[in-house]
Amino acid sequence: DTLWDLAIAEAEKRENPDDVVKPGEVWEKSLLFMGNKNGGKTTIILRCLEREESPKPTLGLEYSFGRRARRYNTPKDVAHFWELGGGTSLVDLIRIPVTIHNIRSFAVVLVLDLSRPNELWTTMESLLHVTRNHVNRILTKLEKTNPEEAAEIKQRIWKDLQRDHPDYALVDPFPIPLVIIGSKYDIFHEFDSEMRKIISKTLRFVSHYYGASLVFTSKSEALLLKARALINHLAFGYDKSKSVSVDPSKPLFIPAGLDSMSQIGPPPASDSDLGKMHANTPLELWKRVFEKAFPPMSLCDSQDTKDPAQDSQYAEYEVDVMRAQKNQ
């Protein structure tokens, strides 16, 4: 960002102090990372927390946290990082971190493996569907106990899309802030250009439809920094980047509200193909086009999830000896 971008962001923050924390008060946010198995969630979290350790496979639901001071000599803000392992097989566990007590400060980071397009839509759809239903149930409960707060949360999801945005009536924002990260861009970059175009356009449509930010990343430091900027905005209230990259030959970077249906264009299929597809909503039409190009593979996450008791990273000698005795 240029000096002018930073100055404008600072001025906007002063004019709209809805998220500004009072001096001496601690900012506390929670993020839930979910997505494909082995999609790179742990790597992204470790990079955001500036931890130099090699990632281990996540089994179940894992927790870590980060602390940052906004200014010298001020209390450190806290960000809670939850990571859901097992792809889509353990999605019911989301009710543990996402509760009525922290829904106001919660955000979701969906990590999709760009190198496995045949699993992409199924993973995305099932995770977002279950999460959205859970959040909506919480908001319904909140409306009974604190209707003002529930109304404020519902209103806030529209803040990235101005009322004069041409797509205001065409989108259906996710009930809490959402970031979609396309991981393993280095492998994706080797794909045929037509395949890349279909995946990129589809993810742009889905992100814009849900009012989400979209970023493509890999193990490259420059790309990880871009993903980290979006996550730090949600976790610690850092200024949101205003830069945009929509070129399909380069990694995408589109903060929420900065894309439009006219820029994305129609689904990447011929008119005759589109005419044969029966869809009730634009989202359904994009799904049909995407799945025609990349037939969905049945997700066998549940069968793949190995028994944590047999995993060497959780070995505890005394416990294992007792367990062996019990089994015997």
Side-chain angles (χ1 to χ4, degrees):
D1 289 354
T2 66
L3 195 56
W4 283 112
D5 292 330
L6 297 171
I8 291 164
E10 183 65 31
E12 281 175 355
K13 198 188 281 179
R14 286 177 190 165
E15 286 167 21
N16 309 305
D18 52 327
D19 267 343
V20 173
V21 183
K22 297 178 188 77
E25 202 173 78
V26 172
W27 165 299
E28 205 167 323
K29 297 280 181 179
S30 302
L31 277 77
L32 172 64
F33 287 75
M34 54 189 188
N36 293 88
K37 278 183 80 167
N38 307 314
K41 298 183 291 295
T42 309
T43 304
I44 293 166
I45 291 173
L46 290 173
R47 193 65 198 83
C48 287
L49 297 175
E50 296 175 1
R51 289 191 191 154
E52 299 293 328
E53 52 189 85
S54 49
K56 294 175 180 170
T58 304
L59 293 171
L61 187 68
E62 295 204 356
Y63 169 81
S64 49
F65 70 93
R67 300 175 75 217
R68 297 262 197 303
R70 250 163 301 148
R71 274 173 235 94
Y72 174 69
N73 227 359
T74 58
K76 286 187 174 179
D77 298 326
V78 182
H80 307 280
F81 287 72
W82 295 88
E83 183 187 356
L84 180 71
T88 56
S89 63
L90 303 170
V91 71
D92 288 346
L93 291 178
I94 62 162
R95 65 178 186 272
I96 294 168
V98 191
T99 67
I100 198 165
H101 306 294
N102 63 13
I103 192 70
R104 185 189 171 91
S105 59
F106 220 99
V108 171
V109 180
L110 177 65
V111 181
L112 298 171
D113 187 339
L114 295 173
S115 69
R116 296 189 300 204
N118 300 80
E119 295 173 21
L120 197 144
W121 191 284
T122 319
T123 301
M124 174 179 72
E125 187 175 54
S126 55
L127 290 173
L128 291 183
H129 176 71
V130 174
T131 308
R132 183 169 212 153
N133 285 349
H134 176 63
V135 171
N136 285 339
R137 278 196 296 273
I138 289 174
L139 291 176
T140 305
K141 274 189 203 166
L142 194 61
E143 276 173 345
K144 292 172 185 162
T145 56
N146 191 340
E148 294 86 8
E149 189 172 352
E152 190 190 327
I153 291 169
K154 287 184 175 180
Q155 192 52 45
R156 212 171 44 182
I157 62 173
W158 290 95
K159 89 172 178 194
D160 286 320
L161 209 63
Q162 306 302 325
R163 279 197 175 275
D164 57 356
H165 195 289
D167 303 333
Y168 195 81
L170 304 173
V171 297
D172 183 15
F174 206 68
I176 53 177
L178 173 66
V179 170
I180 296 177
I181 297 180
S183 66
K184 303 192 183 173
Y185 178 79
D186 45 342
I187 301 172
F188 170 78
H189 189 58
E190 303 300 318
F191 284 8
D192 167 71
S193 64
E194 199 53 39
M195 287 169 71
R196 289 205 312 267
K197 182 181 162 190
I198 295 170
I199 297 167
S200 297
K201 279 189 80 166
T202 303
L203 285 179
R204 277 182 68 186
F205 170 80
V206 170
S207 300
H208 185 54
Y209 182 77
Y210 284 130
S213 298
L214 175 66
V215 59
F216 283 2
T217 188
S218 69
K219 287 181 180 170
S220 116
E221 193 61 27
L223 291 185
L224 274 170
L225 276 173
K226 290 202 159 192
R228 197 174 145 198
L230 285 175
I231 292 164
N232 278 338
H233 169 68
L234 294 176
F236 299 107
Y238 288 15
D239 290 337
K240 191 161 70 167
S241 174
K242 293 283 199 305
S243 68
V244 178
S245 171
V246 294
D247 183 346
S249 64
K250 293 178 182 162
L252 297 181
F253 181 81
I254 312 169
L258 298 184
D259 212 342
S260 69
M261 298 294 187
S262 58
Q263 283 180 300
I264 297 165
S270 67
D271 290 344
S272 61
D273 280 348
L274 288 175
K276 292 174 197 160
M277 290 176 184
H278 300 290
N280 297 321
T281 63
L283 189 67
E284 211 176 299
L285 182 63
W286 279 83
K287 177 184 177 178
R288 298 213 186 295
V289 171
F290 187 82
E291 291 189 339
K292 188 171 188 293
F294 304 103
M297 279 169 59
S298 60
L299 287 179
C300 48
D301 285 338
S302 46
Q303 289 87 339
D304 289 349
T305 306
K306 55 182 179 181
D307 179 2
Q310 308 302 323
D311 193 289
S312 58
Q313 69 171 307
Y314 297 111
E316 286 189 52
Y317 178 73
E318 290 86 353
V319 176
D320 295 341
V321 168
M322 300 284 281
R323 181 77 209 179
Q325 274 185 8
K326 188 175 190 309
N327 289 343
Q328 204 177 340

